[in-house]
Amino acid sequence: MGLDPCMLHLYSKTYIIHSKEINMVSYKELGLVNSKDLFKKAITGGYAIPAYNFNNMEQLQAIIQACVETKSPVILQVSSGARKYANQTMLRYMAQGAVQYAKELGYPIPIVLHLDHGDSFELCKDCIDFGFSSVMIDGSAHPYEENIALTRKVVEYAHSRPDYVTVEGELGVLAGIEDAVSHEETHYTKPEDVEDFVKRTGVDSLAISIGTSHGATKFKPSQCTRTPEGILIPPPLRFDILEEVEKRLPGFPIVLHGASSVPVELVKIINENGGALKDAVGIPEDQLRKAAKSAVCKINIDSDGRLAMTAAIRKEFKEHPEVFDPRKYLGPARDALKELYKRKNIEVLGSAGKA
Ligand code: G3H
Ligand code: 13P
Ligand code: ZN
């Protein structure tokens, strides 16, 4: 049995589809917000909203603690891998729990629940029906016209909801690994395409490719220079492309993916405690700070959080081999993540105090 199309505009209903009970819910009922107003304020205020990925309770606690303590709005990102790992029903209640948790901590920050790198209409629709307040449809691997058609379809559905779900599109391809999809090379966004793309799709924000990349090894050593100590220095971001995009789309929200900085000290702790991260290199924080002051109003960070947690866990295991209570190593990992994100909000994104 399919859904009656006229019912798509209703929410908070239970439907039986293929013998499964599906609860459609509005993000507003979960206490979440979409990203529209947050982006408007971020562009005029010269800062970026942190978009942190989560897959489990400790990551979510750390994100909420960090953002409440710094009074920062936050975008909680869920990839399709996270959805498979954690279960979508669990994620919905975790996001609702995060809203209550922030209140309990004493400062109710605005929280967006966002699908990261959605790759199909069906996945985006599912997330929207399940209470996400924002989705990304990443059609960047498709030819231009197909990307437009797919993105447009998601926008039509998301914007037709009475609660208005915001949509992020992507133009240009980032190098690196996203879930099962890996791209060998960067394809920078062509500024001459952005107006046409935004106009024809109706997206609320646009992810562009200016030299950031996913994962902890963002560049090959051959693309970098080295300090006398042997530390890799990556090629600079293409601010010329960003400036051209801003000229063509004045005041339009731009998103930067692949924005982890891969701190040298975290990589060192990991490698000194049994890890094997070779040639790890990220985006220098001063470049991200510069980007956050421009039309870039959402900055995606996941790998740095993974590194912070892994460094803390490896250290605990090395120093306390007798420990077998997960709280004894997940607790310090959660604290390390919280401290990292507090610092990002204050020193890199400029989002502290903006909630
Ligand atoms: O851009 C990708 C994010 O870091 C999510 O990673 O697909 O491994 O969950 P994942
Ligand atoms: P990093 O791998 O640089 O943290 O990027 C995360 C990201 O872009 C999530 O969409
Ligand atoms: Zn990404």
Side-chain angles (χ1 to χ4, degrees):
M1 185 178 92
L3 264 181
D4 179 347
C6 63
M7 291 209 163
L8 292 174
H9 295 279
L10 304 175
Y11 46 78
S12 304
K13 298 267 183 233
T14 302
Y15 298 94
I16 307 295
I17 302 170
H18 301 307
S19 326
K20 266 170 79 183
E21 199 179 274
I22 307 285
N23 274 314
M24 280 172 81
V25 70
S26 164
Y27 67 83
K28 289 192 175 173
E29 290 172 71
L30 305 183
L32 301 162
V33 298
N34 69 19
S35 58
K36 197 114 193 135
D37 283 348
L38 299 189
F39 287 169
K40 222 185 271 169
K41 287 185 197 153
I43 291 193
T44 44
Y47 62 92
I49 313 288
Y52 298 136
N53 290 69
F54 81 101
N55 297 266
N56 64 36
M57 184 189 73
E58 283 77 9
Q59 287 173 320
L60 186 56
Q61 287 174 321
I63 294 169
I64 298 301
Q65 289 168 10
C67 293
V68 165
E69 286 181 28
T70 56
K71 296 190 165 59
S72 169
V74 69
I75 297 173
L76 298 174
Q77 298 208 126
V78 170
S79 68
S80 52
R83 208 161 161 262
K84 280 187 213 122
Y85 178 81
N87 177 282
Q88 61 173 353
T89 305
M90 286 294 289
L91 288 169
R92 176 209 290 190
Y93 288 103
M94 284 170 83
Q96 191 172 14
V99 172
Q100 294 308 319
Y101 184 43
K103 282 186 196 155
E104 199 180 297
L105 290 174
Y107 202 83
I109 52 172
I111 300 176
V112 176
L113 181 62
H114 176 78
L115 169 67
D116 192 22
H117 294 285
D119 61 356
S120 68
F121 171 76
E122 291 71 25
L123 173 60
C124 292
K125 179 183 174 303
D126 233 37
C127 287
I128 292 168
D129 292 347
F130 240 78
F132 282 57
S133 58
S134 178
V135 293
M136 172 188 196
I137 176 68
D138 181 356
S140 62
H142 296 293
Y144 184 70
E145 288 297 329
E146 283 176 35
N147 186 359
I148 289 192
L150 176 61
T151 306
R152 176 77 218 153
K153 194 174 171 190
V154 172
V155 168
E156 274 169 7
Y157 183 69
H159 290 184
S160 73
R161 300 255 320 182
D163 50 359
Y164 194 100
V165 170
T166 38
V167 181
E168 175 184 325
E170 180 166 330
L171 255 189
V173 179
L174 274 69
I177 297 164
E178 295 159 11
D179 220 350
V181 188
S182 142
H183 301 286
E184 270 290 308
E185 277 179 40
T186 299
H187 296 277
Y188 295 111
T189 303
K190 294 187 198 135
E192 60 273 24
D193 288 341
V194 295
E195 286 155 284
D196 182 59
F197 187 86
V198 166
K199 205 161 124 208
R200 287 172 62 197
T201 58
V203 283
D204 301 282
S205 61
L206 182 67
I208 62 168
S209 174
I210 58 166
T212 58
S213 156
H214 289 105
T217 311
K218 298 194 183 297
F219 305 96
K220 297 185 189 99
S222 59
Q223 296 173 288
C224 303
T225 52
R226 277 189 198 268
T227 65
E229 297 76 35
I231 293 167
L232 292 169
I233 308 290
L237 294 182
R238 292 284 306 272
F239 280 98
D240 57 320
I241 297 178
L242 176 58
E243 278 159 27
E244 194 50 42
V245 168
E246 282 184 287
K247 260 191 227 151
R248 288 166 186 265
L249 292 174
F252 190 79
I254 299 300
V255 177
L256 271 196
H257 282 247
S260 278
S261 296
V262 190
V264 177
E265 57 285 3
L266 292 179
V267 174
K268 191 164 177 272
I269 296 172
I270 291 172
N271 287 341
E272 281 173 359
N273 290 279
L277 293 179
K278 204 171 168 282
D279 299 328
V281 59
I283 311 297
E285 287 188 342
D286 58 337
Q287 292 187 39
L288 296 168
R289 183 72 200 104
K290 181 173 166 189
K293 286 182 179 155
S294 71
V296 170
C297 57
K298 171 174 179 271
I299 291 191
N300 288 14
I301 298 174
D302 186 7
S303 297
D304 280 356
R306 296 176 179 193
L307 292 169
M309 290 189 90
T310 302
I313 290 171
R314 282 200 174 277
K315 201 159 166 282
E316 283 298 312
F317 280 167
K318 180 97 175 277
E319 288 170 6
H320 305 285
E322 73 289 356
V323 158
F324 67 98
D325 178 346
R327 292 171 297 186
K328 294 277 179 354
Y329 49 88
L330 293 178
R334 181 177 60 192
D335 292 345
L337 187 59
K338 171 184 156 182
E339 290 313 313
L340 175 86
Y341 285 163
K342 278 176 76 172
R343 200 183 59 69
K344 294 270 182 196
N345 292 352
I346 297 166
E347 294 175 17
V348 185
L349 303 161
S351 65
K354 307 294 186 187

